[in-house]
Amino acid sequence: MRILSIQSAVAYGHVGNSAAVFPLQRIGVEVMPVYTVNFSNHTGYGAWRGPLIDPSDVAAVLTGIEERGVFPSVDVVLSGYQGGTGIGDVIIDAVRRVKEANPDAIYSCDPVMGNANSGCFVAPEIPVLLRDRVVPVADLITPNQFELGYLTGTEPVSLDETLDSVDAARAMGPSTVLVTSVLDAAESEGVIGMMAVDDEGAWLVRTPLIPMKVNGSGDVTAALFTAHYRRTGSAAEALERTASSVFDLIQATFDAGSRELLLVESQEFFAHPRLQFTAQRLR
């Protein structure tokens, strides 16, 4: 499998491509990372250095890859955090060209906007761009519950409401939706869910809630689910593998008291997930 991953990059820590590439490689996926920013560290620190990469430069890198005759072998285009509005057009155009070269390729979009605790942490125009232009051309999207609500104009707080919001998101274009950080108002505290819905049905995995928010975990989740789903065609299996790997990654990071994901130290969790969680069919 070959994935063209168009995301941010940092020198210190693990977010964007700096979070997604290594886990994908560890499960045997060939990744071509294309950077949209090249920062010293993620912006959660409040200070960082390095450039937003001009959309024309991102487009030039993509054209160079295309000129090597690689696009017919691309199985997935994956995108995440978009630093500016111009990059959306570049990604959409890259998806079009990849699909022309390989009609079986899919586009997986992680519509990064924010979370329930922090609210939106991207520029105000980014959520609109994602909702109106990027998500409609995606085959698979991986929002958290907060982002799903923004995309669909809803505020899901229960499993049924989340399923209804997923149906609304799928009506926008994507056939498959993974929802992360699913909290159910009727559920006991200390539990968090991950939901996957496609044409075959809907599944939920519940895991213990680890009391920390670590940057980059969503990027790892989107990458692993995308690869597992593309490889197996089973949303339930992809969900179980992804939830197992990401839970153990976050638990190891929490136990170490680290602010940054222990990505390298946790590599066996990607290659050989324990499969300690079972997907429950919802419908």
Side-chain angles (χ1 to χ4, degrees):
M1 185 189 307
R2 187 187 299 271
I3 292 181
L4 175 63
S5 184
I6 309 171
Q7 301 196 57
S8 60
V10 294
Y12 172 69
H14 300 290
V15 298
N17 267 333
S18 302
V21 171
F22 178 67
L24 288 172
Q25 291 172 330
R26 196 63 182 83
I27 64 171
V29 175
E30 182 70 44
V31 189
M32 296 184 294
V34 176
Y35 300 152
T36 56
V37 310
N38 190 12
F39 289 165
S40 55
N41 52 270
H42 67 70
T43 58
Y45 286 97
W48 66 94
R49 295 182 183 271
L52 280 170
I53 298 177
D54 191 274
S56 64
D57 291 327
V58 178
V61 172
L62 290 163
T63 297
I65 296 171
E66 184 179 28
E67 289 170 347
R68 304 285 72 77
V70 179
F71 276 9
S73 69
V74 173
D75 299 290
V76 179
V77 178
L78 173 65
S79 72
Y81 171 75
Q82 299 186 22
T85 55
I87 200 65
D89 288 331
V90 173
I91 293 171
I92 291 170
D93 185 59
V95 169
R96 177 187 61 78
R97 286 149 57 192
V98 166
K99 288 192 170 188
E100 285 178 353
N102 178 12
D104 291 329
I106 66 168
Y107 171 37
S108 176
C109 171
D110 185 10
V112 179
M113 303 178 209
N115 56 64
N117 292 327
S118 306
C120 271
F121 50 64
V122 297
E125 59 270 23
I126 296 296
V128 178
L129 168 72
L130 289 167
R131 181 193 64 202
D132 295 347
R133 302 203 53 219
V134 180
V135 166
V137 303
D139 301 287
L140 164 63
I141 60 172
T142 60
N144 59 38
Q145 193 175 34
F146 170 84
E147 293 162 340
L148 174 68
Y150 179 86
L151 290 173
T152 57
T154 61
E155 295 183 7
V157 296
S158 69
L159 290 184
D160 285 341
E161 290 172 349
T162 302
L163 281 167
D164 289 343
S165 297
V166 168
D167 288 341
R170 295 181 72 223
M172 296 168 65
S175 60
T176 305
V177 177
L178 172 74
V179 189
T180 62
S181 301
V182 175
L183 297 174
D184 182 0
E187 186 67 74
S188 60
E189 293 186 4
V191 176
I192 195 164
M194 192 182 295
M195 179 187 295
V197 183
D198 66 3
D199 291 339
E200 302 301 318
W203 291 265
L204 177 74
V205 164
R206 290 183 175 91
T207 72
L209 175 61
I210 301 169
M212 75 176 303
K213 173 66 177 76
V214 60
N215 296 80
S217 58
D219 303 319
V220 176
T221 301
L224 288 176
F225 181 85
T226 296
H228 288 312
Y229 183 67
R230 178 63 172 167
R231 179 174 282 161
T232 67
S234 168
E237 182 176 343
L239 191 60
E240 290 172 348
R241 288 183 172 275
T242 302
S244 174
S245 297
V246 173
F247 177 83
D248 282 341
L249 166 65
I250 297 176
Q251 185 68 64
T253 302
F254 176 73
D255 290 344
S258 174
R259 179 168 181 175
E260 296 290 345
L261 288 170
L262 296 188
L263 204 69
V264 175
E265 295 87 338
S266 300
Q267 59 182 286
E268 287 301 308
F269 300 142
F270 313 136
H272 304 105
R274 292 191 293 142
L275 300 178
Q276 67 272 43
F277 306 111
T278 300
Q280 169 195 356
R281 185 162 191 145
L282 299 177
R283 67 183 185 197

